[in-house]
Amino acid sequence: MSVDHNSIANLLHLAEVEKREVVRVTEQTPFDIEAAYKIQQELVNIKLGQGHRIVGPKMGLTSQAKMKQMNVNEPIYGYVFDYMVIPEGGELKISDLIHPKVEAEIAFILGKDIEGSGITGAQVLAATEYVLPALEIIDSRYENFKFTLPDVIADNTSASRVVFGNKLTHPDGLDLDLVGMTLSINGEIKELGAGAAVVGHPANSVAMLANMLARKGEKLKAGQIILTGGITGAVMLSVGDSVAGKADGLGEVTFKVVE
Ligand code: OOG
Ligand code: MG
């Protein structure tokens, strides 16, 4: 069966704009991972066409905790757009979203472009200008957050909102694999982990991303903010939640959930 990339991208775009969950698309129209990235590209093009800009790419499902939670087994990538960024300490308007969850991540800012293939974590670290803590708010457009790998790729890897910490740290002298990170809601630790949860080291996640992007002739660009994937599982959000992500040596990142 031929897959209409554009109509699936439109359906997922509308689901996001209208804040309504949809039946996972592969239930009706099965497609593979390659087709899923084509649909994602259409979705990205729709957003670019509306004047939104890409802040940077994101990796997803890079930790065992996440793969187990979502019942899938391979890292994926998507894109974070400017309209998704909430300032540090700011408010997440829950009525803008479907059924958001939050996860704690480490983000990278490159000082130099990185072009795959065959990129290693060491090469990424050498090209990294800063690392910073981040809280990603994911909001799958699918019913009950249930999807297969092609579904979630098509849905821009559930990207919805993100809060970046204000403190930028040069990675020299940091063992990012050993950096501990906690995710607290209303002062109570809900999830915790270490950088090593992310494919052994968060820089390996960026290297994988460079290698995956190389397959479609794209590269990682200096100045982009890159999410390396949840260190922990994701936690459901409710109105009134005060959320904090703290990473050892990197500082903290917070936001509040409002109606
Ligand atoms: C997919 C997005 C995964 C991560 O950091 O692992 C992701 C999902 O869990 O809905 O962003
Ligand atoms: Mg994430």
Side-chain angles (χ1 to χ4, degrees):
M1 196 182 350
S2 89
V3 180
D4 183 347
H5 300 143
N6 194 259
S7 71
I8 296 174
N10 265 306
L11 173 109
L12 290 167
H13 174 68
L14 274 183
E16 180 184 347
V17 171
E18 294 172 2
K19 305 154 204 166
R20 111 186 117 66
E21 44 181 31
V22 295
V23 177
R24 64 182 177 80
V25 285
T26 58
E27 204 163 287
Q28 285 225 334
T29 322
F31 52 84
D32 62 11
I33 288 175
E34 203 183 320
Y37 278 112
K38 290 195 174 132
I39 295 165
Q40 185 193 93
Q41 190 60 52
E42 292 286 335
L43 183 58
V44 165
N45 291 344
I46 292 169
K47 292 178 191 295
L48 291 172
Q50 294 190 336
H52 300 305
R53 296 169 62 103
I54 291 173
V55 170
K58 59 164 279 192
M59 283 290 271
L61 308 176
T62 46
S63 72
Q64 289 299 332
K66 285 287 307 185
M67 287 194 237
K68 237 197 226 151
Q69 184 178 31
M70 304 326 290
N71 199 27
V72 292
N73 56 7
E74 209 175 277
I76 55 179
Y77 67 84
Y79 295 89
V80 172
F81 282 82
D82 52 0
Y83 74 90
M84 299 178 175
V85 179
I86 295 172
E88 149 58 21
E91 292 181 342
L92 170 76
K93 210 166 162 249
I94 203 165
S95 53
D96 283 347
L97 307 180
I98 304 166
H99 43 205
K101 295 184 189 179
V102 63
E103 54 195 18
E105 308 204 7
I106 292 173
F108 279 57
I109 300 176
L110 301 178
K112 293 188 215 117
D113 293 358
I114 300 182
E115 195 158 7
S117 56
I119 298 297
T120 63
Q123 284 173 285
V124 168
L125 280 175
T128 300
E129 192 160 23
Y130 300 116
V131 291
L132 59 155
L135 289 170
E136 188 188 14
I137 295 106
I138 50 173
D139 194 31
S140 173
R141 269 53 71 169
Y142 301 121
E143 279 177 353
N144 306 316
F145 248 99
K146 288 259 158 51
F147 44 69
T148 65
L149 214 46
D151 288 298
V152 65
I153 292 166
D155 185 29
N156 192 26
T157 66
S158 310
S160 176
R161 296 288 184 270
V162 64
V163 192
F164 296 111
N166 279 337
K167 186 178 156 206
L168 304 177
T169 306
H170 194 275
D172 260 9
L174 277 179
D175 289 323
L176 283 176
D177 51 345
L178 302 182
V179 165
M181 191 159 190
T182 57
L183 171 61
S184 310
I185 299 189
N186 301 325
E188 190 188 324
I189 293 179
K190 297 286 185 189
E191 294 272 345
L192 73 157
V198 175
V199 291
H201 191 297
N204 293 342
S205 172
V206 180
M208 283 177 91
L209 176 60
N211 296 330
M212 286 165 107
L213 289 178
R215 290 186 217 143
K216 59 171 183 175
E218 277 185 25
K219 62 179 178 180
L220 294 173
K221 296 178 201 135
Q224 284 182 323
I225 312 185
I226 302 162
L227 286 174
T228 57
I231 285 176
T232 61
V235 181
M236 286 297 285
L237 290 169
S238 314
V239 175
D241 283 351
S242 202
V243 186
K246 291 186 196 172
D248 192 24
L250 302 183
E252 83 177 303
V253 48
T254 63
F255 70 92
K256 274 201 170 60
V257 183
V258 300
E259 184 57 53

